[in-house]
Every structure is written in C-alpha cells, then in structure tokens.
Amino acid sequence: MPKMENKTAEEKQHIPLMTPYKMGNFQLSHRVVLAPLTRQRSYGNVPQPHAILYYSQRTTQGGLLIGEATVISETGRGYKDTPGIWTKEQVEAWKPIVNEVHAKGGIFFSQIWHVGRVSNKEFQTSGQDPISCTDKPLAPQIRSNGLDVIHFTPPRRLTTNEIPQIVNDFRIAARNAIEAGFDGVEIHGAHGYLIDQFMKDQVNDRIDQYGGSLGNRCRFALEIVEAIVNEIGGDRVGIRLSPFASYMESRDTNPGALGLYMAESLNKYDIAYCHVVEPRMKQAWEKSECSESLVPMRKAFKGTFIVAGGYDREDGNNVVVEDRADLVAYGRLFLANPDLPNRFELNAPLNKYNRETFYTSDPIVGYTDYPSLETTS
C-alpha cells in the first residue's frame, strides 16, 4: 500500500498547482485559492446558514479560501445582501461558517471592503450620499455577470479629518474578523472601490496629503495596512490590488508605477500576501490581450504573491512553474466546481458556470447545487 501513496505524492509533484506551499505561518497543501466572490445571499447584510455549506463544499485540508467581500461599516454598502462585519450579530453569524471551514482543515481569510462611490442613497443610512476621495459621479455600469446595470448617486468628498475614521473602521472590521474566527483578512484595494478610488489618478482629484503624488494617493491604503497590522499582526493580513484594471471607471495613467510602488511599500509591513489581478482583466468579466505584466510587482514584493484573473488549469500550472506567482486564485471556476483542486489534480472536466445566478438570492440554485465529482459519478 505505501507504494500507491508514494505514487500519488509523486504525481502531485508533477502538477505544480498541487504542490504544498508555506505562506508565513500557514502550511498550504496546494496552490489553488478560492477567490473572493460576491454572491449577495446574506439577507439584510447578515451571513446566512446556507453559506456554511457553500464554503464547506469548497474547503480542502490545507486549502486557502478568501471569503466574499464583506462590508466594514454602514457607509460601505453598495449592493443588496452583501455580508457585513461591523455588528455583533454579523460577527456571531460568521462563526459557524468559519468553524465548518476549520473543521475540514481549511484556512479562511475574510475580505474586508468599503465600496466608496460605488453605491447609491438607498444603501446609505438616512439617504446620505456615498463617500469617496472625490465628488466626481460614476456613470451607470454593467455588472460582472454581463447582465445587470447599476446606477449610482454622486458621492460626497471626504474631508481630510474624516479619513482617520474610515481607517479605524477597517481596523475594527479586522479585529471583528479575528473574533469571528477567521485566520486573517484581505484588504479589498481593487476593482474601483474606496481604496482603489484613492489610488487611481483618474478618480482621485484631491489637493491634500491624500491626493496628487503617487505617494499621497497610496497613503490611505498604507494607513489601513498599518492600522490592521498593528491590530492583528502582519502574518494575518493580505491585500488585493488591481492597478491595471479600469473597473468602475477607476483607471490610472501609469498602472505599472502604481503597482510597483505598492509592492515595494508593503514590504515594510511584512504582510502575509499580496493578491493582484492580472492586467488582462481590464474589466471584471473579460480577458483582453495586453503587453503589461505583474512580474515587476512579483519581484519587488517579498511575501507570498497571489495572482487572479482568467486562469485555467494550464495557465495556473505555468505561472507557478515560471515563478511568476506562488498561488493562483480562481473565481468563476471555483464557483461552479466546489471540488476544483481535486478536478485539477485528476485533470477532470469542469462544470460550466451560469452567469445568471451569480447574484441571485436563492440559497441553493447557482450557489450550493453545482455538483462535485463524487455526486456526478
């Protein structure tokens, strides 16, 4: 019998994505990461019991899961039924979900999030305007399912002395995530949401210490990183960035310089990982040809480097072999294939995802009803 086991281990070595990896204090058994995926099934911003099965289905012993974007405060909301982590009720509701992931040996980070101007009055307490680094309005956008169109209320520009309160909201959310049992947090600094709005020069038009130069535009993001590292420890902190993306009209005229500045600046905080969206994902749902690369960021950042954006099995194996990343995050493929690491190991066919149920509120359909290999065979 031992021969069989050796063979399996040997075969795993030939599949780069299936090789073990040590991310700081966390020992991962493979390199396939569940990407953070908004699913909009947390009614009234409270995580629901059906999420226990959803995350459990996607958990493997020693696998890293990044939870769906989770709102840090009342002003951070921009979509219906996204989970929060600012109230006691929300923290308590996360606990059984996290416990189930841990029971199956998974490592679970919470992605903490403020949408900034990607919101409208209906999501804001007492119908206030959404907040941002700017008061520039956002045109209506098509969502990443390619179907829904969303409309936004013009934002109110944060005053300089209001910014520390938002940094503090992120810090408290991180503390709450640890209280809920999460192994760490991923700061959502990507895809046109609040932190990205500050970083990108096509959105940020401030003239105080949070605007203008590259260092000033990145100040808000780095203050959040510092506050959270001081609160829960750098080994429990990751950040997601998308310097090359133009999602939600959040563009930068020199994305390569922005990405490199952030990668180098993050080194002094000794965080667990930097998770970056590939330049080919200019919009959230489609790949485009491009000459830009994340290699300079990869070389500059000293911690674990996670890439995401349109990867399949072959792509993922190649990026690991070529040392362009340590880990690869999968979104839509993992959504539709709860046992994705197993399928990659066996090179098994994949279920197709259904865009129409990405953001519907059904607790089963398009959520926990995608079959794994065991249930299909």
Side-chain angles (χ1 to χ4, degrees):
M1 193 62 196
K3 270 190 175 169
M4 275 289 288
E5 287 170 12
N6 288 344
K7 186 165 184 239
T8 311
E10 237 173 79
E11 283 171 355
K12 277 184 134 181
Q13 294 302 324
H14 292 304
I15 307 166
L17 284 169
M18 289 295 110
T19 55
Y21 177 77
K22 196 165 183 337
M23 182 180 87
N25 297 329
F26 302 103
Q27 185 60 58
L28 307 184
S29 64
H30 60 80
R31 297 165 186 253
V32 179
V33 178
L34 174 67
L37 293 163
T38 291
R39 303 308 315 273
Q40 289 188 248
R41 287 159 167 89
S42 298
Y43 313 136
N45 306 118
V46 178
Q48 297 295 306
H50 48 248
I52 298 172
L53 178 59
Y54 173 77
Y55 283 108
S56 171
Q57 287 175 331
R58 286 158 186 79
T59 302
T60 48
Q61 177 76 39
L64 175 61
L65 290 78
I66 305 168
E68 62 206 275
T70 297
V71 184
I72 62 161
S73 65
E74 285 192 331
T75 64
R77 294 176 291 189
Y79 301 89
K80 184 172 176 279
D81 295 336
T82 50
I85 199 154
W86 74 87
T87 71
K88 185 78 182 147
E89 182 190 8
Q90 290 162 340
V91 171
E92 291 304 313
W94 275 114
K95 287 180 179 177
I97 304 167
V98 178
N99 288 345
E100 186 61 28
V101 169
H102 285 157
K104 291 183 74 175
I107 292 138
F108 203 4
F109 273 53
S110 169
Q111 190 194 57
I112 54 176
W113 179 47
H114 192 300
V115 299
R117 69 174 182 169
V118 185
S119 186
N120 60 51
K121 286 187 176 187
E122 75 179 87
F123 295 113
Q124 300 296 320
T125 311
S126 1
Q128 298 160 328
D129 293 332
I131 56 176
S132 181
C133 61
T134 183
D135 52 15
K136 286 192 282 195
L138 184 57
Q141 305 283 316
I142 297 174
R143 289 206 65 186
S144 55
N145 60 2
L147 304 166
D148 305 334
V149 177
I150 34 180
H151 297 266
F152 310 100
T153 303
R156 176 178 74 78
R157 183 193 303 269
L158 285 163
T159 64
T160 308
N161 60 9
E162 285 177 299
I163 291 172
Q165 182 54 50
I166 311 296
V167 173
N168 196 50
D169 288 341
F170 271 97
R171 180 187 65 82
I172 292 167
R175 187 177 70 200
N176 288 348
I178 299 302
E179 192 196 325
F182 283 100
D183 296 292
V185 298
E186 174 176 286
I187 299 161
H188 195 341
H191 286 156
Y193 298 116
L194 183 62
I195 295 172
D196 201 35
Q197 289 157 31
F198 270 85
M199 287 192 281
K200 300 281 179 72
D201 65 6
Q202 298 301 285
V203 182
N204 186 335
D205 55 358
R206 302 180 73 87
I207 53 171
D208 62 4
Q209 68 261 40
Y210 292 96
S213 70
L214 184 52
N216 280 0
R217 284 182 281 117
C218 294
R219 186 185 305 276
F220 178 59
L222 295 170
E223 284 180 353
I224 290 167
V225 171
E226 183 168 15
I228 293 176
V229 166
N230 289 340
E231 183 67 38
I232 66 171
D235 57 324
R236 292 175 177 272
V237 180
I239 188 168
R240 195 178 214 207
L241 301 170
S242 60
F244 293 92
S246 55
Y247 193 47
M248 296 295 171
E249 293 179 14
S250 204
R251 295 183 192 83
D252 198 84
T253 48
N254 194 343
L258 170 60
L260 200 54
Y261 179 85
M262 282 301 293
E264 289 169 346
S265 302
L266 289 167
N267 284 331
K268 75 174 181 209
Y269 302 105
D270 206 18
I271 61 172
Y273 69 80
C274 183
H275 178 186
V276 191
V277 179
E278 283 285 352
R280 62 190 175 194
M281 305 303 284
K282 295 281 189 260
Q283 292 294 339
W285 65 92
E286 59 187 356
K287 279 202 267 193
S288 54
E289 287 304 308
C290 78
S291 58
E292 299 128 333
S293 156
L294 296 181
V295 170
M297 282 184 78
R298 157 64 161 169
K299 288 182 172 165
F301 183 68
K302 302 286 190 284
T304 295
F305 198 71
I306 307 178
V307 292
Y311 276 92
D312 58 18
R313 180 181 186 268
E314 186 185 4
D315 258 10
N317 280 323
N318 289 341
V319 80
V320 171
V321 167
E322 293 163 13
D323 199 34
R324 288 184 284 122
D326 300 302
L327 307 172
V328 185
Y330 289 88
R332 289 165 291 188
L333 295 188
F334 223 145
L335 180 156
N337 296 273
D339 55 347
L340 188 66
N342 187 36
R343 288 178 190 250
F344 278 175
E345 193 174 333
L346 301 171
N347 202 14
L350 302 179
N351 301 324
K352 290 189 165 47
Y353 53 80
N354 177 8
R355 287 180 187 278
E356 290 176 20
T357 55
F358 282 1
Y359 308 122
T360 46
S361 54
D362 194 293
I364 298 168
V365 177
Y367 189 58
T368 54
D369 62 349
Y370 285 104
S372 61
L373 289 173
E374 286 86 72
T375 50
T376 49
S377 56

